[in-house]
Structures are given as structure tokens and as C-alpha cells.
Amino acid sequence: MTKLIAIDDGHGSETPGKRSDVIPELGRQVKENEFNKEFAKYLEIELKRCGFRTIQLAPTDYDTPLRARTDLANRAKADLLINGHFNAITGKFATSKAEGFSAHVHSKTGQAAKFANIALKNLSGGTPQKNRGLVQQNLHMTRESHMPAVLFEFGFMDNLREARLMLNVAFQKECAQEVAKAVCEYYGVSYVPESKPVAKYAPKPVHSAAAPKREESVQILTGGLNADSVKIIAEFFIAKKWWGQLQFEAPGNPRMLSGGLDPKMKTEYEAWLNERN
């Protein structure tokens, strides 16, 4: 049976304290959930394209209790749990020197650690960041899950350079792609890249038999004409439903370039022009 991957997007949108310092060019803080939920969304797209089944453990912006998340993953009998986060130390750009990504597991031995190390290798090939490596930590999400579970920290919210990445769609997709590639490698499945969009065929417009083709229409070179005269010529073309292109040349009388006009149209235009003169 196709493997089921549980995806958890970390904290809710209103979880206290889970946000960056104020980013100068934005004039506001960025909530951790603004990155987490996009990562979770793109990871699901990546995994489904590669043939995996997925389940989102916290699909809304509500701060779903941790117990509810792990209970759902356990009931669904997920094969692997992936948790996406952004880290912080002091919460202030001025006082924090931390940087980089890390993978957090309950034990440094076992399948969770094996998958985490594959993911760290893939993450190292993306946006230049410090690889903080594998971290053994007593966390609810990795401790209470009945399947291999890894919590990823993709950067630090109190590092200005990395905080700026949180709303960067290319970075969000990159993290999702690198973790998806790790899932594929872990299970021995070929990664399926996103296909490039195929340009849709657009048929050429069919001209009505009653209307002249553009290349068969008259072209006028005008010289020494005032605006009223040009307007009169334009109105003549509109009345005849002819295509017309007005260009301006050195002073002189307006003249016609036949441009493939049929004799009847050419005669009619010349007669009208002579009447005007």
C-alpha cells in the first residue's frame, strides 16, 4: 500500500510569541505560521505528485493542541510524520546570533534519525544556510507519535536574513521540495519533478469573408494634412469597414499604397480622394 505521510504545520496563527522581530521593509512581524502553513501546503503537493498519500494534522490557522495532532496521526496509522517550524532564541534581531536549519528527533538512532539525516543532506543543497545537524530533543510531536517523526526548523525568526525568507515563496517551495526528495529517497521511490507548463495551442482568428484581410487593406501616408482631414479619412475607412493605417510623411498630398487591394476598393478610394481634393 502507498505510504501515508502525516504533515504538521507547527503553530497556529495566533500562538503567543511565535513570530519574528519587526522586519524593517515590511514594518511588521511575520508569524511563524505564515511560513509553516505554506511549507505544509507545498510539501503535500510535492508528495502527492510522487505518489504518496498525505494527511494534514492541523489544516486550519487554529492552534490545534499537540495531543490532537499526534492522536490523529496515530489513528490514521501514518508511516512518517513531518513537522515544519521556524526557530527563535531571543526573539530580537539585535541580540540573536543564531542561524541555520536543523532536524529534531526523539532518538538519534532508529528510522526517524535515518530519514532526518537524508533530509539534512538535501536541505544543505538549497539556499545557503548553516546546517545545525541532527538534534535529540524531548518533544511531544516526536515522542508521542507511533511512527518515525521529525521536526524541522528551517531557520531563525530572530535572524533578519532568515526571517526575510519566511514569506519568500521560492524558499517555501524549496524547503518542501528538499524534504519531499528525502521522503522519496528514504522509501526508495523516484522523485517526480514538477512538469513545466505546456503552451496551449491558440488557433489563428478566422476572418469573415466580407471583411478584407489586414494585408489587403489600404495604407495611407499623410503629409500636410491637418487633424480634421486625418479624421475624415479615418471615418471613411470605418464606414467602409476597411483596415487603415495612417503614417506621416514629408509635406505633400495624401497618397494610397495599394497593398494588394482589389481593383474595386482601389477605384472607390481614389474616386473619393479626388472628390475631396
Side-chain angles (χ1 to χ4, degrees), residues 20 34 45 133 136 228 251:
S20 73
E34 291 183 78
I45 293 171
Q136 183 173 340
D228 289 338

Side-chain angles (χ1 to χ4, degrees), residues 218-222 225 232-234 236-237 240 242 246 253-258 261-276:
V218 70
Q219 183 181 52
I220 303 298
L221 298 180
T222 67
L225 296 178
I232 292 171
I233 294 174
F236 174 77
F237 277 84
K240 292 295 181 181
W242 291 354
L246 293 175
N253 292 325
R255 61 189 178 88
M256 179 191 69
L257 301 181
S258 61
L261 289 175
D262 62 52
K264 181 179 179 182
M265 293 171 66
K266 180 180 179 180
T267 300
E268 187 174 356
Y269 174 73
E270 288 178 338
W272 177 85
L273 188 60
N274 288 333
E275 289 176 2
R276 299 299 305 175

Side-chain angles (χ1 to χ4, degrees), residues 153-225:
E153 300 279 9
F154 292 103
F156 279 82
M157 292 184 288
D158 45 12
N159 177 300
L160 179 57
R161 184 181 74 86
E162 293 186 337
R164 284 172 169 150
L165 294 173
M166 295 174 71
L167 298 182
N168 185 304
V169 174
F171 179 74
Q172 296 164 355
K173 290 183 175 181
E174 176 190 296
C175 292
Q177 183 184 82
E178 288 159 355
V179 173
K181 286 181 176 179
V183 174
C184 290
E185 183 176 341
Y186 176 69
Y187 284 115
V189 174
S190 296
Y191 173 72
V192 180
E194 182 179 9
S195 59
K196 294 181 179 180
V198 179
K200 294 183 178 180
Y201 170 70
K204 293 182 179 180
V206 178
H207 294 278
S208 169
K213 297 178 182 178
R214 185 181 295 273
E215 60 270 19
E216 295 176 350
S217 300
V218 70
Q219 183 181 52
I220 303 298
L221 298 180
T222 67
L225 296 178

Side-chain angles (χ1 to χ4, degrees), residues 2 32 39-40 76 84 111 129 135 138-139 141 179 188 194 206 222 235 250 255 267 269:
T2 306
E32 184 181 347
F39 163 75
Q111 292 301 307
Q129 289 178 278
V135 179
N138 186 19
L139 301 170
M141 293 302 299
V179 173
E194 182 179 9
V206 178
T222 67
E235 289 174 345
R255 61 189 178 88
T267 300
Y269 174 73

Side-chain angles (χ1 to χ4, degrees), residues 47-261:
L47 291 174
K48 284 185 174 180
R49 191 175 63 245
C50 294
F52 293 96
R53 293 179 297 132
T54 63
I55 180 172
Q56 292 280 359
L57 302 182
T60 70
D61 288 339
Y62 169 69
D63 196 2
T64 306
L66 299 182
R67 173 60 65 183
R69 301 175 193 228
T70 51
D71 283 353
L72 177 56
N74 293 335
R75 285 197 307 271
K77 299 186 184 302
D79 297 289
L80 180 67
L81 190 155
I82 297 169
N83 196 273
H85 282 261
F86 237 78
N87 215 337
I89 298 293
T90 69
K92 297 294 182 181
F93 297 141
T95 56
S96 176
K97 303 297 181 184
E99 62 176 318
F101 57 85
S102 53
H104 299 245
V105 294
H106 191 60
S107 171
K108 285 192 173 183
T109 61
Q111 292 301 307
K114 178 182 177 181
F115 165 68
N117 280 318
I118 295 172
L120 289 169
K121 176 192 68 177
N122 280 276
L123 289 166
S124 295
T127 298
Q129 289 178 278
K130 180 180 179 180
N131 183 349
R132 300 173 68 90
L134 191 64
V135 179
Q136 183 173 340
Q137 195 172 5
N138 186 19
L139 301 170
H140 176 93
M141 293 302 299
T142 57
R143 183 185 66 245
E144 301 300 325
S145 300
H146 298 169
M147 71 292 301
V150 181
L151 185 149
F152 291 99
E153 300 279 9
F154 292 103
F156 279 82
M157 292 184 288
D158 45 12
N159 177 300
L160 179 57
R161 184 181 74 86
E162 293 186 337
R164 284 172 169 150
L165 294 173
M166 295 174 71
L167 298 182
N168 185 304
V169 174
F171 179 74
Q172 296 164 355
K173 290 183 175 181
E174 176 190 296
C175 292
Q177 183 184 82
E178 288 159 355
V179 173
K181 286 181 176 179
V183 174
C184 290
E185 183 176 341
Y186 176 69
Y187 284 115
V189 174
S190 296
Y191 173 72
V192 180
E194 182 179 9
S195 59
K196 294 181 179 180
V198 179
K200 294 183 178 180
Y201 170 70
K204 293 182 179 180
V206 178
H207 294 278
S208 169
K213 297 178 182 178
R214 185 181 295 273
E215 60 270 19
E216 295 176 350
S217 300
V218 70
Q219 183 181 52
I220 303 298
L221 298 180
T222 67
L225 296 178
N226 58 32
D228 289 338
S229 298
V230 173
K231 181 180 178 182
I232 292 171
I233 294 174
E235 289 174 345
F236 174 77
F237 277 84
I238 292 172
K240 292 295 181 181
K241 297 182 180 179
W242 291 354
W243 290 103
Q245 181 179 0
L246 293 175
Q247 296 182 351
F248 290 87
E249 216 179 38
N253 292 325
R255 61 189 178 88
M256 179 191 69
L257 301 181
S258 61
L261 289 175

